[in-house]
């Protein structure tokens, strides 16, 4: 019987620009290797105080729209109490309150059950960190 719980930590290069990075293929690959034919849950977690996980459409401009909306809600200026790092970096520490650092998704017969246009994405507005860690965990 396969393990009921399997986890993997991966490093994602995000560069020095704000980014919405599609993790869907990585999640699907993890499930093919660890949960073939099984039902359960995939938990995606970023252990960072300045990044989040979103389930959104990508490739049609929604990822850029998300970054634009975050700029409107969380401007990169000097209003923030948290002041180390790049100018406006304090807003990056507020990001996880709006884009949580985790998502739990259904897995049916070893496949991620997303809607037609949904993708699992890492949202990173912190330009001071060029790479992020993502923990993928399957429970089933």
């Amino acid at each position: 019987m396969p393990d009921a719980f399997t986890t993997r930590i991966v490093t994602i290069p995000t560069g020095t620009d704000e980014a919405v990075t599609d993790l869907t293929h990585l999640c699907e690959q993890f499930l093919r290797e660890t949960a073939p034919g099984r039902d359960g849950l995939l938990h995606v977690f970023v252990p960072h105080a300045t990044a989040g996980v979103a389930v959104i459409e990508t490739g049609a401009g929604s990822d850029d729209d998300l970054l634009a909306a975050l700029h409107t809600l969380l401007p990169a200026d000097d209003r923030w109490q948290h002041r180390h790092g790049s100018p406006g970096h304090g807003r990056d520490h507020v990001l996880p309150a709006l884009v949580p650092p985790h998502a739990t998704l259904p897995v049916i017969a070893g496949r991620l059950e997303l809607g037609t246009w949904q993708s699992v994405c890492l949202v990173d507005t912190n330009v001071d960190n060029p790479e992020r860690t993502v923990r993928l965990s399957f429970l089933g």
Side-chain angles (χ1 to χ4, degrees):
M1 173 184 218
D3 290 336
F5 180 79
T6 305
T7 192
R8 178 178 298 163
I9 297 171
V10 293
T11 301
I12 306 295
T14 55
T16 56
D17 293 322
E18 295 181 0
V20 175
T21 304
D22 192 337
L23 302 175
T24 309
H25 180 71
L26 182 69
C27 293
E28 291 169 340
Q29 178 183 355
F30 171 71
L31 291 171
R32 277 193 303 275
E33 295 170 6
T34 61
R38 295 167 58 195
D39 294 347
L41 297 171
L42 173 68
H43 187 74
V44 182
F45 176 71
V46 292
H48 300 286
T50 58
V53 176
V55 178
I56 63 168
E57 177 182 9
T58 59
S62 297
D63 36 355
D64 291 331
D65 290 342
L66 174 58
L67 291 175
L70 291 171
H71 273 275
T72 300
L73 294 169
L74 305 171
D77 58 24
D78 64 357
R79 74 184 68 200
W80 308 102
Q81 298 297 313
H82 189 103
R83 294 186 186 264
H84 75 82
S86 298
H89 173 66
R91 77 178 186 117
D92 299 327
H93 287 272
V94 177
L95 173 77
L98 301 175
V99 181
H102 57 85
T104 302
L105 306 162
V107 176
I108 306 297
R111 298 191 58 159
L112 195 55
E113 286 293 306
L114 294 172
T116 302
W117 304 111
Q118 290 180 315
S119 296
V120 182
C121 297
L122 170 66
V123 180
D124 186 4
T125 59
N126 184 353
V127 299
D128 295 332
N129 290 349
E131 62 182 33
R132 295 299 184 152
T133 301
V134 177
R135 177 182 291 274
L136 303 175
S137 301
F138 175 74
L139 178 64

